Amino acid sequence: MKEIVSQKIRQGRVLNAMSLQELADLIGVSKQMISKYENGTSMPSSKTLIQLAKSLKVKLDYFFAPSSVELGDVNFRKRSSFTAKKVNALKEDIKIQLSNYLEIENILKIDNSFENPLKKKKVNTLEDIENIVKELRNDWEIGFDPIHNIIQLLEDKEIKVIEIDEPQNNFDGLASIVNDKYPVIVVNKNFIVERKRFTLLHELGHLLLDLPECDIKFEEQICNRFASEFLFPKSMVLKEFGEGREGISFKELIEVQRKYGISIRAIVYRLKDCNILSENKVAEFYRKLNFDPRLKREVDAQRFQTPEVSNRFEQLVYRAFSQELISSSKAASLLNININEVLENSTM
């Protein structure tokens, strides 16, 4: 038990991006004592544990639950302002949320196995993506019509989706395999819906595609093409816009954005990818954006109506509680809310 508590104290400190000294100052002990707690050479008293829980913004039972999640190779898309300390804090947050997710699935005896439908599909060029996406859509039996909820689709396919509350200029998303078994995609919950959908599918590309040995820039291009093709397949692009155009009206772009949940910027790139607009026309479009703030605001406005919010974990917790598989206090701990909220939301 001492080993678990010491490990969780350190993880809680990392989660909050605190130094040893900062945590020591909060609970009124020395930096050396915090180090002893984390090394397992000293065990905090019950009173100190309560202070630690308050300072680290966790519930008391957090310190007694062993960690059960190990992140695999992480494709981590972040901004330069995201410090190493913040990266580590984010990883701990993801581990906690995933550990809770797996725990509730095990309690409910849900089969959470996953098999990559693209594991034998090697990508060599950007042009390979069109057929790969066709095969994936056929395998998942979703046809080629617009997809109204990407998160629901991914969760139905046993891919865990976690939303992180970060400023938009800090973090985009990441993809990883947890415990060599469970795929997870993490996305910034503060993105507008079109950007969130694109990011989810970009990270899905990192999860599923057998990428070539290449530099990061080309790898990102492949995953961007995968996201674009998945959101707005080439066959649908040609159906909506026809072939070879000299110009596109803004009204057309808005209607496609509303229908497919893809940003106007991404639509314009699709028109170039599908040889409907020339590179010169696309370059002209971006020059106009750079010199017209009003046009830029119009282009970047959110218009798709589906909110794209992950709520499966919450539903599973309330399901387990209603079946009396977990207590109200356990449900509150998993959802990080108070017991009264659990009881209010469970009343029929």
Side-chain angles (χ1 to χ4, degrees):
M1 182 58 70
K2 182 186 288 188
E3 182 180 342
I4 294 173
V5 172
S6 64
Q7 181 185 53
K8 297 308 284 282
I9 291 173
R10 182 186 180 282
Q11 289 176 346
R13 179 176 61 79
V14 172
L15 172 66
N16 287 273
M18 287 183 185
S19 66
L20 289 168
Q21 189 63 61
E22 287 169 334
L23 181 56
D25 291 343
L26 278 176
I27 66 171
V29 300
S30 68
K31 172 183 173 181
Q32 290 73 21
M33 184 56 72
I34 297 294
S35 181
K36 288 182 178 180
Y37 292 157
E38 293 188 2
N39 291 333
T41 56
S42 183
M43 184 75 170
S45 66
S46 298
K47 181 180 178 181
T48 302
L49 271 177
I50 292 172
Q51 290 176 303
L52 283 165
K54 183 177 180 181
S55 299
L56 297 174
K57 302 182 183 70
V58 295
K59 295 193 179 290
L60 195 58
D61 60 359
Y62 164 81
F63 296 111
F64 306 101
S67 298
S68 58
V69 165
E70 288 298 328
L71 293 179
D73 293 334
V74 174
N75 166 58
F76 202 110
R77 292 203 295 147
K78 62 184 179 64
R79 307 298 178 177
S80 58
S81 59
F82 222 48
T83 64
K85 185 183 285 189
K86 188 64 177 175
V87 167
N88 290 331
L90 179 57
K91 287 181 178 178
E92 288 303 324
D93 189 7
I94 293 165
K95 286 180 182 180
I96 291 170
Q97 293 195 51
L98 278 173
S99 181
N100 291 341
Y101 212 136
L102 296 176
E103 181 181 2
I104 202 66
E105 285 192 333
N106 288 333
I107 288 171
L108 289 166
K109 295 182 171 56
I110 291 174
D111 178 14
N112 47 26
S113 59
F114 174 81
E115 185 170 343
N116 183 356
L118 299 179
K119 63 182 178 181
K120 295 181 180 179
K121 302 296 179 183
K122 183 72 176 178
V123 180
N124 295 305
T125 69
L126 291 174
E127 286 67 36
D128 295 335
I129 295 298
E130 181 183 350
N131 286 330
I132 286 173
V133 169
K134 279 182 183 178
E135 290 189 33
L136 180 59
R137 276 178 165 261
N138 285 330
D139 185 88
W140 282 359
E141 299 179 341
I142 56 176
F144 293 90
D145 291 331
I147 301 169
H148 294 289
N149 195 318
I150 299 294
I151 288 179
Q152 181 179 323
L153 171 65
L154 296 178
E155 292 185 326
D156 285 345
K157 301 302 178 183
E158 304 301 340
I159 297 170
K160 309 286 186 291
V161 176
I162 291 177
E163 295 183 85
I164 294 292
D165 189 3
E166 285 291 335
Q168 292 190 35
N169 61 348
N170 277 1
F171 170 75
D172 287 357
L174 67 80
S176 182
I177 299 294
V178 175
N179 296 355
D180 296 320
K181 184 177 181 181
Y182 309 109
V184 59
I185 292 174
V186 183
V187 67
N188 194 330
K189 70 185 298 182
N190 295 313
F191 284 161
I192 65 170
V193 67
E194 291 88 352
R195 184 175 176 186
K196 186 186 287 188
R197 285 161 62 83
F198 191 93
T199 300
L200 286 162
L201 291 171
H202 176 102
E203 300 303 336
L204 180 65
H206 280 289
L207 273 179
L208 301 186
L209 296 174
D210 185 358
L211 296 168
E213 292 291 332
C214 61
D215 59 27
I216 293 176
K217 183 177 180 181
F218 187 56
E219 188 175 307
E220 293 297 292
Q221 288 176 343
I222 290 173
C223 291
N224 281 340
R225 178 67 70 89
F226 176 86
S228 297
E229 184 70 43
F230 202 103
L231 278 174
F232 195 19
K234 183 177 179 179
S235 58
M236 295 296 102
V237 178
L238 293 171
K239 179 181 177 181
E240 297 288 349
F241 291 100
E243 300 187 21
R245 299 277 299 269
E246 286 299 315
I248 303 290
S249 70
F250 195 53
K251 178 68 172 175
E252 288 177 275
L253 295 173
I254 288 175
E255 290 308 311
V256 168
Q257 178 187 8
R258 286 177 174 150
K259 184 175 181 179
Y260 290 88
I262 182 172
S263 72
I264 287 178
R265 290 175 185 262
I267 295 169
V268 171
Y269 271 111
R270 289 299 285 147
L271 293 172
K272 178 174 73 71
D273 293 340
C274 299
N275 298 314
I276 294 172
L277 281 183
S278 68
E279 289 193 19
N280 286 338
K281 284 291 183 182
V282 173
E284 181 183 334
F285 168 77
Y286 277 98
R287 280 196 297 271
K288 287 181 180 178
L289 279 189
N290 290 335
F291 290 101
D292 190 339
R294 184 195 61 80
L295 177 62
K296 185 176 183 297
R297 286 193 298 272
E298 282 293 305
V299 165
D300 292 338
Q302 174 176 305
R303 296 184 175 90
F304 192 65
Q305 295 303 307
T306 303
E308 291 289 1
V309 175
S310 177
N311 56 19
R312 181 173 181 265
F313 171 71
E314 182 180 36
Q315 290 176 335
L316 293 180
V317 171
Y318 280 109
R319 174 177 157 188
F321 176 60
S322 67
Q323 292 179 229
E324 299 184 351
L325 297 174
I326 60 173
S327 65
S328 57
S329 61
K330 179 63 174 179
S333 178
L334 288 169
L335 296 172
N336 200 27
I337 59 178
N338 62 54
I339 292 177
N340 288 335
E341 287 182 75
V342 172
L343 297 175
E344 287 172 6
N345 291 330
S346 302
T347 302
M348 290 188 64

